Amino acid sequence: MSYGVKFKLEFDDVAEKQFKLEILKFNYGGTVLDLVGGENPVQIDWQSDDDIYSPIIGSTCKIQLYNTDTTNYDDFYDADEREYQVKISVKISGFFTTIWKGWLVNDTYQEVVQSNPFLIELLAIDGLGILSNYTIPFYTKSSGSDVVENVLPPNAYIQDVLNNLGLELDFYYSNELFQDGSESSNIYFSIFSSTDDDNNVPYGFMKDASEFMNAEELLKQILNFTHSRLFQSFGRWYIINKSAYSEQSIKDDLMDGSFSGASVRAAETTSLQTNGTEDIKFKKVTFAGVSSDVTFDMLYQIPSDLTPLKMDLTKQMLRPLNRATFTNSLQNRQDFLNPNPFLEWSTPRSGVYAGWDLSNSNVTFDTSEPFKTNTSFKWSGSATVTSNTFTLVKQNVGGYYKFKIIYLSLSNPSGAIQYRLSGFNGTQTVYFDESDNTFHQLSVVNNQVETNEFIWVEHEVEIPDITPHSSHTTYTDCKIEIIGTANDYVNVCGVFRDIFNSNQVGLYSTIRADVNQNLFELTRNTGVYSAEYSAEESTLSDFIFVNYSKGDSITSVRRPYDEFLNVSKRLSEIIPRYILNDHRSFIPRYEGTLYNNTAIPLMPSNKVWINFGTSVLQEPVSCYVDALSYNIKANESKVIMHIPNQDNDLGATLKQKFKS
């Protein structure tokens, strides 16, 4: 999208750093108009809750302007969404560098009703809070296959989700997790890397048995599953490890075996004391997709770089933990018979619509009406038995199934949606009869007469085991045929298995999924403490990866410390280990107002070292910034930050438990 600067305000902070506020308008190419700033013209806030492992830190920008006899502002309150973009920049070494971008929110516009001059207050957002309005990204094979292929690494999903926001920012990754022997992979280990057609449906992206996550839910899942935190800083998206965002040279020493210290934390302290820097390595991916490795010194020190103000710098101690738990939900291990059961993909390939064969010309995919998912089947005329057919690639098709339709009629409230469900084993075809919940050899069309005009109707059927028919033989071709009348829409229709099947020595059996949670519980071996922490439950899991990767195993994950010890762990074990290590003793958490003595603003991507000297107060390592309120004009930053503790692993016992 093309945006041009329409309004501009340049101002200095009290430390004489130069800043620029620009308001860009969609498709604007006219004169740049000057703004008149208020007493606090720009304030940027990064907000977080009390959980230091929150995966997303959203940000907002508050703008104060004066309307005067010489200003000429737009009616911002009457603007369309994304009509105005806000960009904040600081001059560094003679050039303006972006520190924040976002979208002007028109429904928060405020102005004082009085004669000129009067104050106007605007609010801009980074958009992270509205990601729930977007669907998750899906990909198909470039070879022309109709099967959905979700095989990209986590960073690709993160980037595609964030690109929904239209800010066109670069991505900076710092996550020390990697596959065995492949440090360069960093965060690029793949959750989904299936290469065969039958397992490419993104099972891990389901939040229940019949609905995909939205973009925000998927983003949180991937961030939590990779122990990552996301925020905007310096006009970039930062995705960093929640516990191990630190000096790269120490990680390099651990990786190549040259680490000579007895303690990782002692080495970090020595590095700070000796160098006064903290160089952090990032995998940079530009908005255009160009990748490179970059390293920056991210350290600020108190009181040399940052001076405490207002006598409000306080220190709180968070309790040590006795136990940390990470839980995988396994209830999403459905085995979809149709790779496109929810009509998420409608791009035709070789004349076939991603798993659905529309053999009747009256039926099309439609995106013109309001519907529950991306697309719907639409009937433009009376239909007979209109087939939407799929052929199974997998063998051993059997077990118990569910079939679900969501449908709507725009003009025929007395009409009916019908379906016919059949299975063919190479010799005979059997048909499901909903009236007696069995399969028969006679063709059966099931009628649904609950159609109400302009109201979505949901119909779900539990289908019995198909395999007892014809002596447990395998069904290699199953078909769903949906029948509707003119102007009917069908949204979610598909068959999915909620019972898992096995076939051993020719004997067919079905196994119910009584286990739906996999808990990784890490308990410390020493110390008497009572506090526990349960990480947010994940629907992504080691199990899903191992069963659908056909090769790579996420059980072979290492941190640099694991590489030094030449050991591998499951990712689901590493996450509670990070948490328990941080909480091995009391965690100092600081809050206060800081004045910046440097030429570069303090951002949430920075680390802050409390260093009043060893005789007064010197923390052994630097702080994570958890929340930040930056009053640009006053050069003041209200900060909340905590100190991690990723020293040598705390002695702890891992138990893997299963719960129903």
Side-chain angles (χ1 to χ4, degrees), residues 141 145 147-151 157 191-204 333-339 392-395 497 544-551:
K141 289 186 176 180
S145 169
V147 180
V148 176
E149 182 179 352
N150 282 261
V151 299
Y157 293 101
I191 297 174
F192 304 98
S193 59
S194 176
T195 57
D196 59 335
D197 288 352
D198 60 322
N199 283 327
N200 284 327
V201 177
Y203 305 91
R333 288 158 48 186
Q334 277 73 38
D335 192 354
F336 284 76
L337 303 186
N338 182 350
L392 298 178
V393 178
K394 293 192 69 171
Q395 301 298 307
R497 187 183 313 177
I544 290 174
F545 182 92
V546 170
N547 278 267
Y548 296 108
S549 68
K550 306 299 180 187

Side-chain angles (χ1 to χ4, degrees), residues 16 45 70 79 105 133 137 241 244 323 330 339 442 508 538 543 558 625 650:
E16 299 184 346
D45 296 308
T70 59
V105 182
N133 297 324
N241 190 289
R323 181 179 295 113
L330 303 182
L442 295 176
Y508 195 87
S538 172
F543 178 90
R558 293 184 179 183
V625 176
L650 178 69

Side-chain angles (χ1 to χ4, degrees), residues 620-655:
V621 296
S622 58
C623 298
Y624 268 77
V625 176
D626 298 318
L628 174 64
S629 181
Y630 180 24
N631 182 329
I632 292 182
K633 182 68 175 179
N635 189 34
E636 293 180 359
S637 297
K638 180 76 172 180
V639 179
I640 300 175
M641 51 193 179
H642 79 276
I643 295 179
N645 191 345
Q646 291 304 301
D647 201 355
N648 300 23
D649 280 346
L650 178 69
T653 300
L654 177 71
K655 291 183 179 180

